[in-house]
Amino acid sequence: MTTTPQAVRRASPRNRRRPATPADPARPLLPGAQPVSLLDPSGAPLPARTDYPEPPGDLLRELYRRMVIGRRFDTQATALTKQGRLAVYPSSRGQEACQVGAVLAVRDTDWVFPTYRESMALVSRGLDPVEVLTLLRGDWHCGYDPAARFTAPQCTPLATQCVHAAGLAYGEAHQGRDTVALAFIGDGATSEGDFHEGINFAAVFKAPVVYFVQNNQYAISVPLSRQTAAPSLAYKGAGYGVPSEQVDGNDPVAVLAVLTRAVEHARAGNGPFLVEAHTYRMEPHTNADDANRYRDGAEVDAWRDRDPIARLEKYLRDRGELDDDGVAAVAAEAEAYAADVRERMNAQPTVDPLSLFDHVYAQPTPQLIEQREQVRAELAAAEQEGDA
Ligand SMILES: Cc1ncc(C[n+]2csc(CCOP(=O)(O)OP(=O)(O)O)c2C)c(N)n1
Ligand SMILES: [Mg+2]
């Protein structure tokens, strides 16, 4: 075949049709370049987004109510540690938009997998606050019935709940139910193997899990800059084929909007979704931690200006959905709630130390039986000494 001058012209690089840019299969998985925000830090509305429609007004008022009660509960729990009524309490002050927004995005029959930091989320879910604090008082492994409340026990071993959530969600879907599992996880815990194993399993088997990372900037004293080199923790989803989003975690309206969409995605059978919320832990890691040793007050003050409750209150007031009377009524309800928690937590619990050995195995091992006997003998001796 001879090459004509026309053919040469057609084939020359300038004339050749540009091949379409190959579609990047990772692109739809990636989060937006900036965290989704629907309110600015002062509470003024930002331009509406069609991808994240604003939740209805009555839901936003309920969000406000639960956040105010949640914060009062949190303050009360911290006070109880100082009175020796709680062994330890990890506060989530400053993270109210995440704690409450996430719980409002799921149904009562969806499963929640909390960490030690999610006491506020659990009371917002309607669990009895004294039952929620049972673990932190050291009375029992879990004070509520997980199966009755569709709420797993609070996990202290980091990220283990990510695997539990994947398994439960897979099992539910396998049985034809449309349950979604919501797994809370901290920024630091995204470095744990269980996070990666859980999200990978969920992705491969299309298990309906929403992994909700509350990036509160610290894992005890380790700042985010020492935790990851990723531009955002939400990018961790793409490596597993999981779509992700990042959200301003101190914007309650945005948190609820983004999580609502994430839950819809999972419920519709599309597999897991990862959300990273950028927020801040205003208090030390727990009452046993001194945060002044690793962060300065100016940083904390900067986040105080982005307070999620003040932000939502301003927005609702400006829209005429909340007034002085409404604010006072919610504050009074929160006070009554705290008073009830205080009173009930001040009552001495009756605990049987021997119950520690129950439910470890269906059939107790010889070692357990021996240990139980040792404790029983020590208790009996102590009682005799007391009587003497
Ligand atoms: C497997 C495991 N390793 C270490 C710890 C000790 N530890 C408890 S909390 C914590 C920091 C977790 O930080 P992050 O995941 O960011 O959650 P946050 O406490 O900030 O909510 C560490 C290292 C643990 N509980 N479990
Ligand atoms: Mg953290």
Side-chain angles (χ1 to χ4, degrees):
M1 197 178 96
T2 53
T3 310
T4 64
Q6 290 90 335
V8 170
R9 223 175 303 134
R10 269 202 306 276
S12 79
R14 229 154 34 103
N15 292 345
R16 211 184 297 141
R17 243 168 92 262
R18 261 177 186 225
T21 313
D24 176 356
R27 187 161 291 281
L29 304 175
L30 294 176
Q34 295 299 323
V36 176
S37 206
L38 298 177
L39 301 184
D40 79 8
S42 78
L46 293 166
R49 291 181 59 151
T50 48
D51 48 353
Y52 295 110
E54 186 178 306
D58 54 344
L59 202 54
L60 294 183
R61 282 196 305 275
E62 183 58 14
L63 178 58
Y64 171 78
R65 179 180 155 268
R66 293 196 202 187
M67 285 168 64
V68 171
I69 295 173
R71 176 172 292 182
R72 186 62 190 87
F73 161 81
D74 192 83
T75 314
Q76 184 59 59
T78 296
L80 286 167
T81 61
K82 297 183 177 151
Q83 295 156 5
R85 289 292 179 194
L86 269 186
V88 67
Y89 183 71
S91 167
S92 53
R93 188 183 182 90
Q95 299 178 216
E96 290 86 355
C98 297
Q99 295 276 312
V100 182
V103 156
L104 274 184
V106 293
R107 297 177 184 162
D108 286 349
T109 50
D110 286 330
W111 269 80
V112 168
F113 290 80
T115 78
Y116 49 86
R117 190 150 326 270
E118 269 69 64
S119 297
M120 190 193 292
L122 300 190
V123 301
S124 290
R125 197 164 204 229
L127 271 67
D128 183 315
V130 174
E131 290 185 2
V132 169
L133 294 175
T134 296
L135 169 77
L136 300 167
R137 182 149 67 166
D139 293 350
W140 192 237
H141 312 299
C142 179
Y144 49 87
D145 178 351
R149 303 312 307 252
F150 303 93
T151 306
Q154 288 179 273
C155 268
T156 300
L158 299 178
T160 48
Q161 74 280 6
C162 295
V163 187
H164 305 158
L168 179 125
Y170 173 72
E172 287 285 291
H174 189 65
Q175 293 179 65
R177 290 192 282 270
D178 68 350
T179 313
V180 170
L182 168 67
F184 286 89
I185 179 164
D187 45 291
T190 64
S191 301
E192 288 283 342
D194 277 352
F195 166 71
H196 298 273
E197 290 168 29
I199 197 167
N200 188 53
F201 181 96
V204 169
F205 293 98
K206 280 203 177 312
V209 188
V210 174
Y211 288 102
F212 182 39
V213 182
Q214 283 172 97
N215 170 8
N216 63 8
Q217 313 299 327
Y218 287 91
I220 313 185
S221 56
V222 178
L224 187 72
S225 57
R226 288 302 208 183
Q227 195 65 249
T228 183
S232 148
L233 296 171
Y235 282 81
K236 294 195 179 191
Y240 296 102
V242 174
S244 312
E245 187 55 279
Q246 46 177 340
V247 61
D248 177 343
N250 283 28
D251 175 346
V253 181
V255 170
L256 183 52
V258 168
L259 278 165
T260 299
R261 216 197 92 188
V263 170
E264 281 167 8
H265 168 96
R267 202 180 313 282
N270 300 310
F273 199 100
L274 175 69
V275 176
E276 177 197 13
H278 299 263
T279 183
Y280 196 77
R281 191 195 77 213
M282 297 301 289
E283 295 290 319
H285 174 68
T286 68
N287 54 297
D289 172 42
D290 176 5
N292 293 319
R293 294 177 62 173
Y294 54 85
R295 66 185 195 187
D296 64 30
E299 182 183 295
V300 182
D301 287 344
W303 279 90
R304 213 183 303 283
D305 292 341
R306 307 180 55 182
D307 184 78
I309 296 184
R311 204 157 164 178
L312 184 56
E313 181 181 324
K314 169 85 168 48
Y315 180 59
L316 291 174
R317 277 182 183 270
D318 287 353
R319 283 205 339 181
E321 305 239 14
L322 192 66
D323 57 14
D324 288 348
D325 287 349
V327 169
V330 171
E333 193 183 348
E335 276 312 313
Y337 189 91
D340 173 62
V341 172
R342 201 161 53 234
E343 195 178 314
R344 289 164 62 212
M345 288 297 290
N346 276 329
Q348 196 63 32
T350 41
V351 288
D352 175 8
L354 292 178
S355 65
L356 203 60
F357 298 93
D358 298 343
H359 313 298
V360 181
Y361 295 106
Q363 295 295 326
T365 60
Q367 292 87 345
L368 266 186
I369 294 170
E370 197 184 318
Q371 288 168 20
R372 187 180 192 283
E373 179 48 30
Q374 271 176 8
V375 173
R376 195 202 55 74
E378 275 180 33
L379 290 170
E383 201 169 310
Q384 260 189 354
E385 235 172 68
D387 288 346

